[in-house]
Amino acid sequence: MTTRTLPPKCGAYNVAEEWMEGEPFSWERVHPVFSWYQTGNVNMAYECVDRHVEEGKGDKIALHYFTESEEETYTYKELQQEVNRWSNVLKAHGVKKGDFVFVFLPKHPYCHIAMLAAIKIGAVVGPLFEAFMEEAVKDRINDCDGEYLITDLKFLDRVNRDEIPSLKTVFTTDFELAGSDVSITKEAAEADDTADTVWVDLDDGLNIHYTSGSTGKPKGIIHAHRNMIQQYQTGRWVLDLKEGDVYWCTAHPGWVTGTVYGVFAPLLNGVTTVIHGSRFSAKSWYQVLEQAKVSVWYSAPTAYRMLMAEGDKTLNKYNLYSLRHILSVGEPLNPEVIHWGERTLNLRIHDTWWMTETGAQLVANLPTRTIKPGSMGRPIPGIEVAVLDDNGEILPAGKTGHLAIKSSWPSLMKEVWKNQEKFNSYFPYGPEWYIAGDLAYLDEDGYVFFQGRSDDMINSSGERIGPFEVESKLIEHEAVKEVGVIGKPDPVRGEIVKAFIALNPGYDGSEELLEEIRLFVRKGLAAHVAPKEIEVVEELPKTQISGKVLRRELKKRDTEKAG
Ligand code: WTA
């Protein structure tokens, strides 16, 4: 084994200096950090960008972008100017406060700029995952009658405008104008680099993310500008972001982690954010860590497992000594991964838990706390959790039940778009407890141990997949008569999507047909939701009364078969 020197320490952790374990904490303590505390003027984009320039940090690198062949940086001042230019273009084309602006762009500074420009003029930004195909894009924009979209020429063919009647203007980030209405980059180059911020209320809409549960199509979760309170604070205490940090969150802003901890939290904390534009490979990731001198790194267990599988030999070729703090989110972090981090990087990986709906981290291994491998950590300051039984009664330590959070907290979702019933469904036992849909138990010390979902939601590589959306697509294929989709345990990805299908008469279960069906989902929705496994069955298990497919039964049979 190669001996590695200790990574650089960065003084005491922020949380250690600012809070004593056990001390009461009120979110109001965070308010004076923001300019609105003095001025009364609220806007997330202002707090992320303009404020730093006004405080004399304009020359600091805000964004550091890499691909295998390119490298580009934006200082806070340059970011401000670019955001201003883009917001002037959006405004000139009619975008105003409260409008939905969808952003469908790859991991690139333009994605950050587009989001911040829309927010600066009070619009509600809807980042779309870069792998979404036609139907996934259409369903989301149609659900909230989105009028504006900022995209890339490469993605434009996945936007079927005939089927998105609400769409008024499509902005593209490329200079040629093939099929778009406005080249935002071209117009921005000529636009004024100063712009007025549109002031909003803390409770006004900030962003919308569509997210899956076990039933129905994805729902639009809307968050408000007040989220910045918790997003700043968790950036400071959980990610331990400090003035000199170079921070890399590997998620795309189409996932909530990529928006909250890839855009807002690091910029609110005024650090340098790394954006990596290439696809995952161990080599390119290690290279980014080395070249950008990343000090704080936030990723997901699947990525860590993939790096682990690549072996120490690859890792040891890189100088990763700038790393000082590593975190994980999105799926269970298995103890082997924590041990791998300790052994190879001399760092413990800190798990964090939260959801799209919760808007920021709620349970975490603060850098100052002892990690118990297998546990997600404990509630962060200001958050109280409990485990409830099916009647909403609090269970004692060691008993598994519904993971519940005492409401409310600053970044809890504002609403589920046009679906009050769905919003209420998170509070089945009354307004006191938000129910996550996760099953967990607490130990005697209050550490939270994740035990699975209480519904059929699938978690593959930390990506949340609703079986209903996949089933709806599969059933559109002419060969498919009936379908049930489940998450099947997988050693690297946590779960993979597995579909059970019954075929219409005249179709065989040949490999070609199954491949065609897989491709049908891949091309219609997105690659990551396409079933990795398809099993043809005569008939699917169903409930007697409603005839609904019993996913639970499929899962049980599948597990038994796997032995
Ligand atoms: C799961 C991602 C185990 C959980 C930020 C939750 C986790 C869902 C963890 C939310 C973790 C998130 N350990 N499971 N540390 N973090 N999850 O909305 O089931 O994409 O309900 O938000 O991911 O997924 P979402």
Side-chain angles (χ1 to χ4, degrees):
M1 197 174 89
T2 330
T3 329
R4 302 175 63 86
T5 46
L6 279 168
K9 288 278 179 284
C10 210
Y13 293 116
N14 291 332
V15 63
E17 302 219 309
E18 295 164 11
W19 180 72
M20 247 186 24
E21 191 69 60
E23 185 191 327
F25 174 82
S26 155
W27 293 105
E28 277 170 25
R29 211 180 118 173
V30 187
H31 295 188
V33 163
F34 300 102
S35 63
W36 48 257
Y37 187 75
Q38 303 286 342
T39 64
N41 294 330
V42 174
N43 189 302
M44 173 68 102
Y46 182 85
E47 302 288 344
C48 281
V49 185
D50 305 80
R51 193 190 76 197
H52 302 305
V53 179
E54 281 163 27
E55 287 171 2
K57 279 175 42 180
D59 291 336
K60 182 169 179 173
I61 306 284
L63 306 179
H64 194 165
Y65 171 67
F66 285 93
T67 65
E68 258 126 48
S69 53
E70 302 161 89
E71 189 176 346
E72 210 183 329
T73 56
Y74 288 80
T75 63
Y76 273 92
K77 178 77 194 165
E78 288 164 343
L79 179 62
Q80 180 191 41
Q81 290 171 331
E82 208 60 15
V83 168
N84 286 346
R85 290 193 190 102
W86 287 48
S87 71
N88 284 329
V89 177
L90 293 176
K91 211 159 46 184
H93 289 279
V95 179
K96 53 186 191 323
K97 186 172 169 182
D99 289 345
F100 287 109
V101 175
F102 282 89
V103 173
F104 186 32
L105 290 171
K107 281 184 196 152
H108 185 277
Y110 284 168
C111 189
H112 282 60
I113 292 163
M115 289 172 67
L116 292 163
I119 292 167
K120 180 151 185 160
I121 54 173
V124 179
V125 74
L128 297 172
F129 185 46
E130 58 185 334
F132 283 161
M133 302 304 278
E134 196 175 309
E135 231 163 283
V137 172
K138 178 184 82 180
D139 281 352
R140 285 160 177 80
I141 304 180
N142 275 341
D143 183 68
C144 61
D145 300 314
E147 293 175 328
Y148 302 99
L149 171 70
I150 306 175
T151 188
D152 187 286
L153 276 184
K154 290 188 287 293
F155 290 0
L156 200 58
D157 63 352
R158 302 188 219 153
V159 182
N160 183 348
R161 290 190 72 168
D162 294 342
E163 293 193 21
I164 317 177
S166 60
L167 210 49
K168 272 202 224 154
T169 309
V170 175
F171 301 87
T172 59
T173 59
D174 302 75
F175 280 70
E176 314 94 88
L177 281 166
S180 77
D181 305 318
V182 178
S183 164
I184 194 162
T185 29
K186 191 168 164 202
E187 293 199 10
E190 285 145 28
D192 191 350
D193 66 9
T194 61
D196 291 333
T197 305
V198 173
W199 302 116
V200 297
D201 284 336
L202 281 171
D203 286 332
D204 280 339
L206 168 71
N207 60 272
I208 181 165
H209 275 91
Y210 277 82
T211 196
S212 309
S214 56
T215 54
K217 294 250 180 183
K219 312 285 189 297
I221 305 295
I222 300 199
H223 281 286
H225 285 255
R226 75 162 54 252
N227 277 26
M228 70 174 89
I229 298 165
Q230 197 169 341
Q231 294 171 353
Y232 165 83
Q233 191 61 12
T234 49
R236 184 161 179 87
W237 282 3
V238 181
L239 304 176
D240 194 49
L241 296 175
K242 292 185 168 72
E243 187 64 39
D245 276 316
V246 176
Y247 165 77
W248 183 26
C249 166
T250 58
H252 182 273
W255 298 119
V256 76
T257 304
T259 287
V260 175
Y261 291 103
V263 183
F264 300 149
L267 291 176
L268 287 169
N269 279 279
V271 301
T272 299
T273 299
V274 169
I275 304 170
H276 175 49
S278 306
R279 291 182 67 90
F280 174 87
S281 83
K283 283 194 189 110
S284 66
W285 275 36
Y286 288 140
Q287 186 142 11
V288 170
L289 292 170
E290 177 181 279
Q291 212 175 325
K293 298 195 167 54
V294 173
S295 54
V296 180
W297 183 26
Y298 197 17
S299 195
T302 293
Y304 295 129
R305 285 190 290 261
M306 281 155 75
L307 293 173
M308 214 168 116
E310 190 74 24
D312 293 5
K313 228 165 120 195
T314 311
L315 185 146
N316 284 326
K317 286 194 191 124
Y318 297 86
N319 176 345
L320 307 178
Y321 299 141
S322 52
L323 271 175
R324 66 171 187 90
H325 189 34
I326 313 183
L327 302 104
S328 173
V329 67
E331 40 169 338
L333 178 65
N334 35 324
E336 295 94 293
V337 177
I338 297 183
H339 298 142
W340 167 79
E342 278 177 326
R343 186 174 59 76
T344 58
L345 298 165
N346 212 349
L347 291 169
R348 302 170 306 164
I349 300 177
H350 294 69
D351 201 5
T352 62
W353 176 90
W354 59 294
M355 307 172 68
T356 305
E357 294 86 336
T358 72
Q361 297 155 342
L362 299 177
V363 172
N365 281 295
L366 287 176
T368 42
R369 288 177 178 165
T370 310
I371 290 179
K372 295 192 189 184
S375 156
M376 311 192 288
R378 299 214 308 269
I380 60 169
I383 296 297
E384 193 185 325
V385 311
V387 169
L388 308 185
D389 69 12
D390 289 341
N391 302 315
E393 301 297 329
I394 295 180
L395 285 167
K399 294 267 184 257
T400 297
H402 304 283
L403 180 58
I405 320 297
K406 179 77 112 350
S407 85
S408 184
W409 57 92
S411 66
L412 172 65
M413 64 183 153
K414 168 181 151 82
E415 62 180 290
V416 182
W417 180 245
K418 284 198 183 146
N419 201 334
Q420 184 63 36
E421 195 189 330
K422 179 69 191 172
F423 183 90
N424 296 343
S425 74
Y426 292 92
F427 299 89
Y429 308 117
E432 191 184 1
W433 294 105
Y434 165 91
I435 303 297
D438 285 359
L439 300 171
Y441 70 85
L442 303 180
D443 74 2
E444 298 289 344
D445 303 321
Y447 280 76
V448 185
F449 288 76
F450 177 82
Q451 297 293 293
R453 284 286 301 178
S454 65
D455 60 17
D456 297 335
M457 188 187 93
I458 300 165
N459 189 331
S460 183
S461 306
E463 282 153 6
R464 190 166 157 179
I465 300 168
F468 180 82
E469 198 183 13
V470 188
E471 287 165 358
S472 310
K473 186 73 213 166
L474 282 164
I475 202 80
E476 283 175 23
H477 192 280
E478 55 187 12
V480 179
K481 185 170 86 182
E482 281 176 353
V483 60
V485 166
I486 62 160
K488 177 179 170 147
D490 180 82
V492 174
R493 297 181 178 276
E495 287 182 322
I496 55 162
V497 178
K498 172 160 185 178
F500 292 85
I501 56 173
L503 295 170
N504 279 316
Y507 289 95
D508 60 18
S510 70
E511 241 337 288
E512 290 82 50
L513 177 68
L514 300 189
E515 192 48 37
E516 183 193 310
I517 293 174
R518 203 170 286 130
L519 219 64
F520 181 72
V521 180
R522 220 183 151 85
K523 290 210 170 127
L525 282 178
H528 70 284
V529 306
K532 287 237 160 21
E533 264 184 44
I534 302 179
E535 187 174 328
V536 179
V537 292
E538 284 294 314
E539 216 180 331
L540 287 153
K542 290 189 216 80
T543 54
Q544 279 194 342
I545 302 166
S546 61
K548 245 175 65 180
V549 171
L550 280 165
R551 299 189 191 114
R552 231 127 251 261
E553 181 60 26
L554 288 170
K555 206 161 172 157
K556 203 171 123 220
R557 285 188 201 168
D558 203 56
T559 317
E560 281 164 8
K561 215 165 98 187

